[in-house]
Amino acid sequence: MQYFVQQLINGLTLGSIYGLIAIGYTMVYGIIGMINFAHGDIFMVGAFTALIVFLILGALFYSVPVVVALLIMMIVAMLLTSLYNWTIEKVAYRPLRGSFRLAPLITAIGMSIALSNFVQVTQGPRNKPIPPMVSQVYTIDGISISLKQIIIVLVTAALLAVFWYLVNRTALGRAQRACEQDRKMAALLGIDVDRTISITFIMGAALAAVAGTLFLMYYGVVVFSDGFVPGVKAFTAAVLGGIGSLPGAVLGGLLIGFIESMWSAYFSIDYKDVAAFSILAIVLIFLPSGILGRPEVEKV
């Protein structure tokens, strides 16, 4: 039982990171119906930015409190990734918004490859490790819970609450929901559609940057290819939870994290990805719109 609970905690931690990335996918898709496949690489850029900020802080100051260092790393990573995502949306996606559906998809894949190779060229192809930032571990009845796991879960819960409030209780959220329903009608009613979409991309990038910083803190290493697999799994989480639903994105991330953790603990770790995608396929057979997703109603 202790081993089972330990794997639940590990899955909760991993799933929280997937959930943060998945929110960015589901927000962009919810408004413009597009999958931003460069989002996983934005997450990776956020992790590298946090790494660089950590190294700069270590070189400039003898000692910085961990809380302060983490906040600075997150803020700088959020600013830089937001600038990246805003530029990508404005330069690569906006001109293709009215074209056939495959054009933005192909462009998104191209931007993903471009970002990955840019980081590979500028930062090198090798793993970039950092010293442990948070090392405290608490043991309760033989179950180990590290402080960094607690931080990841609390940050994810807090950000989900904040973004749920923004989407459902603010003027910006009303504009986003109006653009989701009908962009042309929203524009006729005075909503700046381009601005709303750009802000949505910026919000998604900020969440990906936080996830990247937490990923770096948890694993202590990052490499240029780290955007692909977490990005695909986060997209899977968004689809599993219900694309377009913020709580669904986090729920899907938690489910993917639990599946991976449990499969790795009781079966072969080599097939944990197969297990996660198999569960996705089974769920979508019975719930095509995902667990919390709303079925699409076609207007006639």
Side-chain angles (χ1 to χ4, degrees):
M1 189 62 186
Q2 291 177 340
Y3 185 67
F4 177 78
V5 174
Q6 185 70 66
Q7 298 311 313
L8 281 180
I9 295 172
N10 295 338
L12 179 64
T13 307
L14 183 59
S16 297
I17 295 176
Y18 289 155
L20 281 178
I21 310 172
I23 292 176
Y25 277 113
T26 201
M27 289 181 69
V28 171
Y29 183 86
I31 290 184
I32 61 175
M34 171 196 159
I35 301 299
N36 179 18
F37 279 114
H39 191 67
D41 294 280
I42 292 292
F43 155 80
M44 177 268 297
V45 170
F48 264 99
T49 304
L51 169 68
I52 294 170
V53 172
F54 176 82
L55 295 176
I56 292 174
L57 289 175
L60 293 179
F61 303 100
Y62 175 73
S63 178
V64 179
V66 173
V67 175
V68 176
L70 271 176
L71 283 176
I72 295 174
M73 290 162 63
M74 284 184 184
I75 291 171
V76 175
M78 290 167 71
L79 291 174
L80 186 62
T81 54
S82 296
L83 179 61
Y84 268 114
N85 227 21
W86 176 82
T87 304
I88 290 172
E89 190 276 328
K90 189 175 182 63
V91 174
Y93 298 157
R94 187 177 299 179
L96 299 173
R97 200 179 295 161
S99 63
F100 67 101
R101 281 184 170 272
L102 284 180
L105 178 64
I106 295 170
T107 304
I109 295 173
M111 291 308 304
S112 171
I113 296 171
L115 279 174
S116 178
N117 281 273
F118 169 73
V119 173
Q120 182 183 12
V121 170
T122 56
Q123 301 300 321
R126 297 184 179 179
N127 292 349
K128 303 291 183 180
I130 64 168
M133 294 184 63
V134 181
S135 56
Q136 292 94 323
V137 178
Y138 308 101
T139 302
I140 303 173
D141 295 332
I143 300 169
S144 299
I145 305 174
S146 64
L147 180 57
K148 56 188 177 183
Q149 289 177 314
I150 298 174
I151 292 173
I152 290 172
V153 174
L154 290 180
V155 168
T156 300
L159 287 177
L160 174 61
V162 169
F163 275 75
W164 182 89
Y165 179 83
L166 284 174
V167 171
N168 291 280
R169 294 289 186 269
T170 64
L172 172 61
R174 286 193 293 272
Q176 289 176 323
R177 285 181 279 123
C179 292
E180 176 184 357
Q181 291 179 5
D182 193 326
R183 291 204 301 271
K184 290 183 180 180
M185 183 58 68
L188 289 174
L189 294 175
I191 295 174
D192 191 335
V193 174
D194 288 340
R195 175 175 171 271
T196 303
I197 292 175
S198 294
I199 292 175
T200 303
F201 271 83
I202 289 172
M203 292 167 65
L207 284 170
V210 173
T213 305
L214 296 176
F215 178 89
L216 178 68
M217 177 195 70
Y218 188 61
Y219 290 104
V221 65
V222 64
V223 68
F224 76 95
S225 59
D226 275 343
F228 178 72
V229 174
V232 171
K233 290 181 180 177
F235 171 62
T236 303
V239 175
L240 180 62
I243 196 80
S245 168
L246 267 64
V250 176
L251 175 61
L254 293 176
L255 288 176
I256 296 294
F258 287 140
I259 292 168
E260 285 194 14
S261 179
M262 290 300 175
W263 190 274
S264 301
Y266 293 101
F267 304 99
S268 172
I269 193 172
D270 297 329
Y271 298 102
K272 62 183 178 68
D273 294 341
V274 176
F277 290 116
S278 298
I279 296 295
L280 170 68
I282 293 171
V283 170
L284 291 182
I285 289 173
F286 298 99
L287 295 171
S289 57
I291 298 174
L292 298 182
R294 299 186 303 271
E296 292 188 6
V297 177
E298 186 175 349
K299 299 177 182 179
V300 294

